[in-house]
Amino acid sequence: MQRKMQYEEAIVETPGGRTGAEAVRFSALTIDAAGDPRSAEGEWRRLENLAINSLHQGLDWCLAWTEAHGRELAVVRGVADGRTHLILPLEIVLEKGVRIARFPGDRFNNGNTGLFDPDLAAPDAEELQNFAYALRTALQDKADLVVLDNIPLHWRGMRHPLAGLATIENQNRSFQLPLFADFEATIAQLNAKSRRKKFRSSSRKIEAIGGYEYIVPREHGEKHALLDLFFRQKGARLRLFGLPDVFQPPETRDFFHRLLDVPEEGGDTPLILHAIRLRGEHEGHIPAIAGLSRKGDYVICQFSSIDETICPEASPGELLFWLMIERSCREGVSVFDFGIGDQPYKRNWCSRETVQHDILLPLTWKGSIARPLLIGRTRAKAAIKRSPHLYAMVQRWRAGQPSRPPEAAVSDSD
């Protein structure tokens, strides 16, 4: 088996931000928290367009989530000389009497960074502690605990500015495939011969029942109908394995429908759907769906589903990933990210895995009590995920199903 690269340990460490006279020190920032996200829209849009910042902290993503859930949003800003150099968009949620400030998107975020200006110099230990104190002051009437989760300490060649505040490794890692303009060079990182063989086999089997077309719907009605079909497909697949359906809550579905309505800008989009549609005797049947996000040269697979009621031996999910990755190569994408969650198909496609960490900063006495409990919960989840049998039992318990032998994982839920 090909050895996977743990991205956090493999890249050359480069301090975040600039150095010298042009750099802005963390100590120069004034930290505040605004309640109206639109009040910071101009600077928010500027920062979200930078390659070093995760698309999950983009304004459209955050608004779609908080509006779908009816949640309060606190926009933490760091300002120096009238210019915003950092934004941490945080929703406030109540968990067992504790107000937690966290990134909007929860489990559906595949890697968070916050929004930082590259003009910020890497902070030293004292500046980080002062920042934590300023954050406590800005949010003291809003939250008890700040939880910044799923943060890669190294990202796109830079060390995260808040890496020194990392509390614990997250139980999940994310998986990526670097892309090249030449698709053959891309699959050469994997077992290219085996990949081509699988693709030819899948294509032949589907051609034998009438063929297929690869679709990326653009019309409003078609997009939303396909998303609803994904919800039905995914729900049925999860029920088949006795697993909980994380897409079932109406507000979660509303969130993804809102993302579909955000217009593309220069190819960038928070959500676009891809699918395989059959021709011939099964005309119109859709055996595989995936939702992708794109920001610049970076693509993330947010979700995928398959329907194996027709020609399951053709592996339609694998075929769809081949087609999406091939298309991404043609369109100048440099990374195809399969998102968080350790799945066999991800390891088969990816040559890189990224370690992520959580930052937990208590703001009140309630937060101080909750912090070690959340750390313990993360450690327990990590231990469970390292044991396939224990993980399968827990998933059955969550779904309210009797325990049975473990089967192939089909969900990235934590």
Side-chain angles (χ1 to χ4, degrees), residues 303-348:
F303 53 71
S304 63
S305 67
I306 57 174
D307 178 348
E308 294 185 318
T309 57
I310 297 174
C311 200
E313 63 274 13
S315 302
E318 285 288 307
L319 177 60
L320 180 57
F321 275 113
W322 173 287
L323 296 170
M324 293 190 298
I325 291 169
E326 187 178 37
R327 178 189 177 114
S328 296
C329 289
R330 292 196 305 268
E331 294 180 345
V333 175
S334 67
V335 178
F336 192 98
D337 193 325
F338 282 72
I340 62 171
D342 195 343
Q343 303 277 344
Y345 78 91
K346 295 181 183 180
R347 288 192 172 272
N348 288 336

Side-chain angles (χ1 to χ4, degrees), residues 111-156:
N112 300 314
T113 60
L115 304 175
F116 292 86
D117 196 315
D119 285 344
L120 270 177
D124 58 28
E126 182 178 357
E127 285 177 313
L128 282 177
Q129 292 305 313
N130 289 337
F131 171 75
Y133 178 80
L135 194 62
R136 183 178 300 113
T137 301
L139 295 172
Q140 61 182 351
D141 296 327
K142 299 178 181 294
D144 300 303
L145 179 68
V146 174
V147 178
L148 307 179
D149 61 350
N150 291 109
I151 293 179
L153 301 189
H154 299 85
W155 182 247
R156 311 217 73 179

Side-chain angles (χ1 to χ4, degrees), residues 143-357:
D144 300 303
L145 179 68
V146 174
V147 178
L148 307 179
D149 61 350
N150 291 109
I151 293 179
L153 301 189
H154 299 85
W155 182 247
R156 311 217 73 179
M158 295 184 65
R159 180 173 169 81
H160 195 279
L162 303 183
L165 295 175
T167 305
I168 187 172
E169 182 179 320
N170 190 273
Q171 69 271 14
N172 291 310
R173 296 183 178 184
S174 60
F175 296 81
Q176 298 83 29
L177 174 67
L179 305 187
F180 305 100
D182 180 4
F183 180 63
E184 289 300 317
T186 296
I187 63 172
Q189 303 171 91
L190 311 168
N191 187 330
K193 182 178 179 180
S194 174
R195 284 280 154 203
R196 283 192 291 268
K197 182 178 179 180
K198 287 181 180 179
F199 173 71
R200 289 193 297 266
S201 175
S202 293
S203 297
R204 283 196 302 268
K205 289 171 181 175
I206 293 183
E207 289 297 335
I209 61 171
Y212 70 93
E213 58 180 332
Y214 170 35
I215 62 170
V216 183
R218 300 290 181 174
E219 295 298 322
H220 180 273
E222 189 178 6
K223 291 192 299 183
H224 287 275
L226 186 59
L227 180 59
D228 285 331
L229 177 59
F230 160 76
F231 292 139
R232 294 195 297 272
Q233 273 189 6
K234 194 68 172 182
R237 182 74 173 173
L238 293 171
R239 286 192 298 274
L240 176 66
F241 287 95
L243 298 176
D245 183 0
V246 298
F247 294 94
Q248 187 175 32
E251 57 270 23
T252 298
R253 299 186 176 197
D254 183 24
F255 163 61
F256 285 109
H257 276 292
R258 287 171 183 265
L259 289 181
L260 271 187
D261 287 333
V262 177
E264 287 188 48
E265 291 189 9
D268 289 1
T269 175
L271 186 63
I272 188 167
L273 300 178
H274 297 242
I276 290 173
R277 183 164 57 200
L278 298 185
R279 292 172 172 165
E281 60 182 296
H282 301 290
E283 182 74 34
H285 178 76
I286 295 178
I289 304 170
L292 304 185
S293 300
R294 178 170 180 175
K295 177 185 171 183
D297 64 344
Y298 204 97
V299 163
I300 298 178
C301 182
Q302 302 293 349
F303 53 71
S304 63
S305 67
I306 57 174
D307 178 348
E308 294 185 318
T309 57
I310 297 174
C311 200
E313 63 274 13
S315 302
E318 285 288 307
L319 177 60
L320 180 57
F321 275 113
W322 173 287
L323 296 170
M324 293 190 298
I325 291 169
E326 187 178 37
R327 178 189 177 114
S328 296
C329 289
R330 292 196 305 268
E331 294 180 345
V333 175
S334 67
V335 178
F336 192 98
D337 193 325
F338 282 72
I340 62 171
D342 195 343
Q343 303 277 344
Y345 78 91
K346 295 181 183 180
R347 288 192 172 272
N348 288 336
W349 272 108
C350 298
S351 59
R352 176 191 298 168
E353 67 181 87
T354 299
V355 179
Q356 301 186 0
H357 285 73

